[in-house]
Amino acid sequence: MTRSTALTTGRPSSTAITAVLALSGTLVALMQTLVVPLLPDFPGILGVSADDASWLVTAT
């Protein structure tokens, strides 16, 4: 499919799809690591044991 055909059919290019998927993967990885520095504080904040608070890393 040529570029002009892709523009007339309204379908996104493969480069745009790849860029969106790469950005989404990076965003998910960053969001998962945001919880790790707060892990020692969660038992006190939530009133649970350290074992229960460690599940927050898995849940995110």
Side-chain angles (χ1 to χ4, degrees), residues 2-55:
T2 64
R3 184 176 173 91
S4 61
T5 306
L7 291 176
T8 58
T9 60
R11 293 171 57 185
S13 68
S14 61
T15 304
I17 293 171
T18 303
V20 167
L21 289 175
L23 183 61
S24 298
T26 303
L27 183 63
V28 168
L30 288 174
M31 288 178 64
Q32 286 180 338
T33 59
L34 288 175
V35 178
V36 174
L38 296 173
L39 195 56
D41 298 329
F42 282 142
I45 294 170
L46 301 174
V48 297
S49 68
D51 291 335
D52 290 338
S54 66
W55 278 99

